[in-house]
């Protein structure tokens, strides 16, 4: 799916992705693949797990997967299907007990709290929304971050609904206000339109990683160039040397 301000547009099915993306190559360009079930009509966890298993069979980087996690068993099935971490969103605010159960079962390092927020006039800290950005929860971004960390989430995935899909750059202004208030790794998402946007965002003190969907869809072969650009800007990222595959394989 392609997204702009959380309005979705289909970009291709799984077969199309498997045909056009060489995950072996992509693995040298990105550190982690995030796969989210954002389908608003179908909530078939079994189907999603089946698709995830197909992706993970050709993917040798860590995978974070989520969407529609309503039970511990849902998270367990995602992990069995190839995910290394699970991503939870609405559940953070609707079922505190489930989040704590996930942390107890799989460890905080395996639970990523996904928080979606909008810029609101007169509010310099943003308002958080759930259910695909349609329902406000009555918390600012810093309040929601503190809430997720208190529940035990070991990582945060923060998405600006306002910036999402615009290509105008990630929300450096709002994220920078979190600063030292975050005690866990933070991934930020929404708005990346070019390599410089990624390199500028990763330099923020509170940011551990940046995420992009549109650049992945439109610039798959250039993800290596994006990584090189970030490294050239002074950010110390890991590098790997590609080796030729065994000719008999």
């Amino acid at each position: 799916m392609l997204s702009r301000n959380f309005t979705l547009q289909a970009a291709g099915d799984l077969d199309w992705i498997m045909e056009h993306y060489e995950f072996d190559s992509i693995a040298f360009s990105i550190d982690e693949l995030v796969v989210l079930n954002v389908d608003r009509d179908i909530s078939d966890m079994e189907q999603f797990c089946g698709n995830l298993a197909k992706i993970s069979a050709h993917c040798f980087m860590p995978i974070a997967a989520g969407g529609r996690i309503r039970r511990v068993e849902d998270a367990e099935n995602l992990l069995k299907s190839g995910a290394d971490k699970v991503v939870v969103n609405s559940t953070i605010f609707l079922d505190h007990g489930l989040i704590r159960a996930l942390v107890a079962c799989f460890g905080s390092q395996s639970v990523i709290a996904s928080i979606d927020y909008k810029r609101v006039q007169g509010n310099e800290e943003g308002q958080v929304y759930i259910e695909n950005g349609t329902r406000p929860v009555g918390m600012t971004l810093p309040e929601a971050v503190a809430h997720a960390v208190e529940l035990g989430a070991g990582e945060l995935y923060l998405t600006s609904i306002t910036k999402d899909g615009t290509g105008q750059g990630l929300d450096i202004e709002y994220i920078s206000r979190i600063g030292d208030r975050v005690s866990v790794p933070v991934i930020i998402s929404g708005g990346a339109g070019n390599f410089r946007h990624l390199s500028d965002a990763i330099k923020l003190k509170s940011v551990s990683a940046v995420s992009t969907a549109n650049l992945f869809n439109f610039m798959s072969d250039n993800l290596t160039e994006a990584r090189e650009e970030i490294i050239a800007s002074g950010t110390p990222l890991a590098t790997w040397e590609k080796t030729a595959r065994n000719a008999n394989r």
Side-chain angles (χ1 to χ4, degrees):
M1 290 285 188
L2 298 179
S3 174
R4 184 181 177 94
N5 307 128
F6 278 37
T7 299
L8 302 178
Q9 176 183 348
D13 59 17
L14 180 60
D15 291 336
W16 182 87
I17 292 175
M18 300 298 289
E19 179 182 352
H20 289 83
Y21 292 92
E22 177 53 64
F23 287 106
D24 239 8
S25 174
I26 293 173
F28 288 92
S29 306
I30 63 178
D31 297 292
E32 187 171 14
L33 183 65
V34 180
V35 184
L36 301 176
N37 178 9
V38 296
D39 196 316
R40 296 172 182 176
D41 298 317
I42 301 174
S43 58
D44 189 338
M45 180 62 74
E46 183 177 351
Q47 179 182 357
F48 182 61
C49 286
N51 288 336
L52 181 63
K54 292 179 182 179
I55 293 173
S56 64
H58 299 274
C59 177
F60 302 98
M61 72 193 87
I63 296 177
R68 314 282 186 184
I69 296 176
R70 299 293 182 263
R71 309 170 301 158
V72 170
E73 290 79 5
D74 292 333
E76 185 176 12
N77 288 335
L78 288 175
L79 294 170
K80 287 180 178 178
S81 300
D84 300 278
K85 305 174 186 178
V86 294
V87 183
V88 289
N89 185 276
S90 297
T91 308
I92 304 166
F93 307 97
L94 301 178
D95 192 344
H96 301 172
L98 176 56
I99 302 301
R100 291 192 172 98
L102 294 175
V103 171
C105 288
F106 309 115
S108 61
Q109 78 286 344
S110 296
V111 179
I112 301 178
S114 171
I115 300 174
D116 306 322
Y117 69 97
K118 293 180 182 179
R119 291 182 172 227
V120 178
Q121 188 173 6
N123 185 325
E124 295 184 352
E125 295 190 317
Q127 287 292 327
V128 172
Y129 286 72
I130 58 173
E131 297 178 1
N132 295 309
T134 63
R135 175 181 166 187
V137 300
M139 288 187 185
T140 65
L141 177 59
E143 288 171 343
V145 164
H147 171 71
V149 173
E150 191 276 330
L151 289 176
E155 197 167 348
L156 302 174
Y157 188 89
L158 310 181
T159 302
S160 168
I161 300 174
T162 308
K163 290 276 193 174
D164 175 59
T166 64
Q168 296 175 358
L170 292 111
D171 197 358
I172 291 178
E173 181 184 355
Y174 272 43
I175 298 297
S176 62
R177 292 177 182 147
I178 296 176
D180 297 330
R181 289 183 280 185
V182 183
S183 58
V184 299
V186 172
I187 305 169
I188 65 171
S189 175
N194 56 50
F195 303 156
R196 182 178 54 80
H197 290 156
L198 300 177
S199 60
D200 288 347
I202 197 65
K203 292 177 182 178
L204 291 177
K205 184 177 181 180
S206 56
V207 172
S208 302
V210 293
S211 174
T212 175
N214 287 348
L215 291 186
F216 175 82
N217 284 309
F218 292 120
M219 304 174 68
S220 173
D221 293 337
N222 289 330
L223 287 172
T224 298
E225 186 177 343
R227 190 177 190 88
E228 291 172 352
E229 178 87 5
I230 294 173
I231 293 173
S233 73
T235 301
L237 300 183
T239 58
W240 302 275
E241 181 178 350
K242 295 183 181 180
T243 57
R245 286 177 174 269
N246 189 308
N248 294 322
R249 292 181 63 184

